[in-house]
Amino acid sequence: DTAVSQTPKYLVTQMGNDKSIKCEQNLGHDTMYWYKQDSKKFLKIMFSYNNKELIINETVPNRFSPKSPDKAHLNLHINSLELGDSAVYFCASSQVKVEQFFGPGTRLTVL
Amino acid sequence: LAKTTQPISMDSYEGQEVNITCSHNNIATNDYITWYQQFPSQGPRFIIQGYKTKVTNEVASLFIPADRKSSTLSLPRVSLSDTAVYYCLVGGASRNTGKLIFGQGTTLQVKP
């Protein structure tokens, strides 16, 4: 069974559209994260949620909004997509310490 | 913020020991140091974590000096399958501590 899963794996869309990426973890972890990895492989944290509470919110545009319907899910919604949003987005989960379990990634391409 | 700095790339040969050093001069008292491995088209995978001195598991060792301003990931006897990007992460020991900062990653190329 997949510990951290993301859907879709690939997402191709036009500028200006709104899209969502879903993430689910079956590890019973308290904290979930979203990361963005750009073409230079830099891995930057965007958000994390702990028991439905946002505890880290990096300086990302407010077009990006995390939504957590429950402890096992943290979805990423993106409004008005821009070319610069093209990247691979990773979801991860962990208990309090920093051993994080990452999903397989979602490659977003904005045309 | 505990910014981290790693070499961009390293080359090695099968069977050799590889040491990758990460600098984190501004590490906070309650920050942990964690290393991840990433293969192409996959998410990062946890390798090892430590706070101070030395930690060893079945795949790697982590050396942390007393001042904790750097750390060294040691991979014994690498094989071709160890070719990957290795990330150093500092931070996040508890839910209220600072930022989780990944280094830019070190691309390790293991040659036959």
Side-chain angles (χ1 to χ4, degrees), chain A residues 9 30 33 35 37 40-43 45 50-51 53 55-58 90 96-105 107, chain B residues 32-34 36 38 41-46 49 85 87 89 91-104:
Chain A
K9 187 171 178 61
D30 290 331
Y33 311 83
Y35 287 84
Q37 187 168 47
K40 296 184 179 180
K41 303 300 183 183
F42 240 111
L43 194 61
I45 191 168
N50 183 294
N51 291 327
E53 178 184 0
I55 59 172
I56 299 176
N57 188 350
E58 293 298 310
F90 288 100
V96 175
K97 293 186 177 180
V98 295
E99 182 178 350
Q100 297 181 38
F101 292 79
F102 283 79
R107 182 173 294 277
Chain B
Y32 280 75
I33 300 158
T34 313
Y36 287 82
Q38 187 179 25
S41 301
Q42 295 185 25
R45 183 174 69 98
F46 172 87
Q49 181 184 95
V85 180
Y87 290 95
L89 171 64
S94 71
R95 70 176 67 184
N96 291 322
T97 55
K99 313 288 186 181
L100 293 172
I101 307 293
F102 274 83
Q104 75 271 25

Side-chain angles (χ1 to χ4, degrees), chain A:
Chain A
D1 288 340
T2 303
V4 182
S5 60
Q6 296 178 226
T7 55
K9 187 171 178 61
Y10 300 96
L11 182 55
V12 181
T13 188
Q14 299 288 330
M15 283 177 55
N17 285 348
D18 302 338
K19 291 293 180 184
S20 293
I21 306 173
K22 295 184 177 181
C23 178
E24 177 181 2
Q25 57 98 1
N26 61 7
L27 299 168
H29 286 165
D30 290 331
T31 307
M32 296 183 70
Y33 311 83
W34 276 105
Y35 287 84
K36 178 181 180 181
Q37 187 168 47
D38 59 26
S39 58
K40 296 184 179 180
K41 303 300 183 183
F42 240 111
L43 194 61
K44 296 181 179 179
I45 191 168
M46 301 176 71
F47 302 104
S48 73
Y49 257 78
N50 183 294
N51 291 327
K52 295 192 176 184
E53 178 184 0
L54 182 67
I55 59 172
I56 299 176
N57 188 350
E58 293 298 310
T59 55
V60 300
N62 57 14
R63 298 182 294 104
F64 291 79
S65 56
K67 299 186 188 301
S68 180
D70 55 56
K71 180 179 167 181
H73 297 84
L74 183 65
N75 302 324
L76 182 64
H77 189 75
I78 314 170
N79 290 326
S80 303
L81 279 156
E82 300 177 358
L83 293 177
D85 298 332
S86 295
V88 180
Y89 292 84
F90 288 100
C91 176
S93 73
S94 74
Q95 286 295 68
V96 175
K97 293 186 177 180
V98 295
E99 182 178 350
Q100 297 181 38
F101 292 79
F102 283 79
T106 296
R107 182 173 294 277
L108 172 64
T109 302
V110 182
L111 303 176

Side-chain angles (χ1 to χ4, degrees), chain B residues 1-55:
Chain B
L1 298 180
K3 180 180 176 181
T4 61
T5 303
Q6 307 172 229
I8 298 294
S9 64
M10 295 181 69
D11 289 340
S12 182
Y13 290 92
E14 283 190 289
Q16 289 187 334
E17 178 184 77
V18 171
N19 295 310
I20 307 174
T21 297
C22 178
S23 297
H24 28 79
N25 291 321
N26 297 323
I27 188 169
T29 302
N30 54 358
D31 282 341
Y32 280 75
I33 300 158
T34 313
W35 285 81
Y36 287 82
Q37 176 191 56
Q38 187 179 25
F39 296 113
S41 301
Q42 295 185 25
R45 183 174 69 98
F46 172 87
I47 300 175
I48 197 167
Q49 181 184 95
Y51 183 80
K52 61 181 179 180
T53 64
K54 177 183 175 182
V55 179

